[in-house]
Amino acid sequence: MEYDLVVRSRRAVLADGTRPAAALLPGLIDTHVHVNEPGRTEWEGFATATRAAAAGGVTTICDMPLNSQPPTTSVTALEEKRAAAAGKCWVDVAFWGGAVPGNEASLRPLHESGVVGFKCFLLDSGVPEFPPLEAAGLRSVLGSLAGIDALLIVHAEDAAEIKPASGRDFGSFVASRPPVAERRAIEKVISAAAATGARAHIVHLSAAECAAMISGAKAAGIRLTAETCPHYLYFAAEQVPDGATEFKSCPPIRDSVNREALWRALEAGVIDCVVSDHSPCPPELKSSGSGDFGAAWGGIASLQLGLSAVWTVARRRGRTLDDMARWMASAPAALAGLPAKGQLAVGGDADLVAFDPDEVYTVDPAQLHHRHPVTPYAGRTLTGRVRQTWLRGMPLLEGDSEAPVGRLLKRG
Ligand SMILES: [Zn+2]
């Protein structure tokens, strides 16, 4: 037989376990990335985000429908976004559609255009062009999506449980967005999913106390999944210095007791996947000059660092690369409906990552490919480093002469 590429490794993470074979980890799938292009390209962009992804072992990203302008709430907007991305992507890119008040007639056409599902908010999204759904709207959208078996992913925080926050104290910011805000919103999602039979997914779960409710819903046959993010698994609120707004996300990073409980929910399979929620902005919006947690943009940049950050903690907990491949590759690929992605298997795309699980390094923001190097991981010592990434067998980031080879994907 003839091969285009042969990769040899002593440790390869296959669908049925880790053993010697001609490759290592499957390329990761990050289903939660805010690229922000077109419209807020000064925040990130397809070229910079996908280079960061390639450097971090992520071979497919799914772009969020908001923060770009226009938001991806119609087929016309999706076409604009695909046009903006064309020819710039170093890894494969799929797209989420948005579900907002008044665009229910666009959901089916967007689904038929290949979006991997729909995102909605249950409170102010932070940008005026992407308003939230009310409880009745949520149920109505889930009813529509049930008819086409499309997935709804939900930013689940309840505004009624959130207080205004200001000042440089991270603890006050965390207290302003308590676990009950997530709980009340997730309750709404569960009841709407139960009533409609639709598939729903909780993005960026932070409040570990909600795991019991999610587990119960799953056990009852409700079609519910959940993700958490590297920053909730790596950082704890007690460590965040005053004014360090690079740590701000919504929902917030919580205390170390919560972090331990989140890990247990992940290890128990209640939380299905770990994805970045990479949501950068220009440094002046992130710090607002004064370190005020109320004023700063809520979003953490980690696309290039997620694998190392999660592995640093996971290996200490005795978890394996098989767990990593499930949480960060096969489960997100299944969530987004991308069957050629997320595992090393005959017939799948040859998206590969040579990963050294033992290398220790310190995060140097100058080495990040993100548009802006602002990240709470700056200066952290992480374990496990990506050595090489391949997309469909092609090595990425080998030299300056390369052209971007990423494709724009449709679901399925
Ligand atoms: Zn997000």
Side-chain angles (χ1 to χ4, degrees):
M1 278 184 78
E2 288 196 16
Y3 302 93
D4 297 320
L5 172 75
V6 175
V7 181
R8 297 189 191 282
S9 169
R10 288 175 204 272
R11 281 196 274 195
V13 182
L14 305 181
D16 57 350
T18 299
R19 54 193 164 80
L24 202 60
L25 280 171
L28 306 188
I29 316 301
D30 192 336
T31 52
H32 197 147
V33 179
H34 296 267
V35 177
N36 305 327
E37 183 175 0
R40 286 194 180 88
T41 310
E42 70 278 16
W43 291 23
E44 184 55 287
F46 285 103
T48 45
T50 57
R51 278 189 82 90
V58 176
T59 49
T60 301
I61 64 169
C62 300
D63 172 62
M64 280 291 162
L66 73 156
N67 302 350
S68 57
Q69 288 179 310
T72 320
T73 50
S74 68
V75 171
T76 313
L78 176 65
E79 283 165 359
E80 265 189 69
K81 190 166 263 197
R82 292 177 69 95
K88 293 181 190 163
C89 298
W90 295 86
V91 302
D92 287 352
V93 178
F95 299 93
W96 294 102
V100 294
N103 85 326
E104 230 170 299
S106 293
L107 300 180
R108 180 186 281 270
L110 275 166
H111 179 72
E112 287 166 356
S113 299
V115 297
V116 294
F118 296 88
K119 166 98 177 266
C120 76
F121 275 69
L122 299 182
L123 81 174
D124 179 40
S125 72
V127 292
E129 68 277 6
F130 201 94
L133 297 176
E134 301 289 335
L138 172 68
R139 188 157 305 207
S140 171
V141 163
L142 276 171
S144 298
L145 296 185
I148 51 176
D149 199 29
L151 173 68
L152 185 69
I153 67 174
V154 185
H155 181 123
E157 287 184 292
D158 187 332
E161 304 290 348
I162 293 174
K163 299 168 231 22
S166 66
R168 294 168 49 83
D169 175 34
F170 188 66
S172 304
F173 169 66
V174 177
S176 76
R177 303 183 93 97
V180 67
E182 292 185 63
R183 194 165 73 232
R184 293 281 175 256
I186 293 170
E187 282 166 3
K188 286 182 201 165
V189 176
I190 290 174
S191 71
T196 57
R199 287 192 293 143
H201 174 80
I202 306 300
V203 295
H204 51 52
L205 180 73
S206 169
E209 66 173 53
C210 300
M213 193 168 53
I214 293 168
S215 177
K218 287 182 170 188
I222 296 167
R223 301 168 78 198
L224 186 72
T225 50
E227 72 190 31
T228 190
C229 307
H231 40 278
Y232 303 126
L233 296 170
Y234 183 85
F235 295 112
E238 302 93 307
Q239 311 163 329
V240 177
D242 283 356
T245 49
E246 65 270 26
F247 289 86
K248 179 179 175 180
S249 63
C250 298
I253 293 166
R254 302 187 190 279
D255 64 20
S256 54
V257 173
N258 182 79
R259 179 180 59 185
E260 173 63 25
L262 264 187
W263 268 105
R264 291 183 188 200
L266 179 64
E267 290 164 345
V270 177
I271 298 172
D272 301 87
C273 33
V274 182
V275 291
S276 70
D277 193 11
H278 178 77
S279 185
C281 68
E284 56 275 18
L285 289 178
K286 191 61 185 155
S287 71
S288 301
S290 60
D292 184 322
F293 280 101
W297 174 255
I300 287 180
S302 67
L303 185 50
Q304 191 172 330
L305 300 168
L307 175 57
S308 297
V310 177
W311 176 240
T312 297
V313 186
R315 82 195 307 259
R316 279 207 300 267
R317 301 179 65 88
R319 308 314 304 188
T320 63
L321 291 172
D322 306 65
D323 297 317
M324 298 293 293
R326 189 172 69 256
W327 297 332
M328 301 186 81
S330 63
L335 179 76
L338 298 170
K341 302 296 189 183
Q343 50 182 317
L344 301 183
V346 175
D349 288 347
D351 300 343
L352 314 172
V353 181
F355 181 68
D356 180 346
D358 301 314
E359 183 177 339
V360 175
Y361 70 103
T362 301
V363 176
D364 173 6
Q367 303 209 329
L368 298 177
H369 295 279
H370 311 154
R371 170 147 292 158
H372 303 291
V374 178
T375 173
Y377 294 97
R380 302 280 162 170
T381 300
L382 302 180
T383 303
R385 193 167 206 175
V386 172
R387 288 260 151 247
Q388 177 70 59
T389 304
W390 291 265
L391 182 67
R392 285 184 298 276
M394 290 173 281
L396 299 178
L397 306 184
E398 290 258 277
D400 295 338
S401 58
E402 264 183 295
V405 291
R407 292 181 186 162
L408 307 185
L409 303 180
K410 295 183 176 181
R411 182 193 67 259

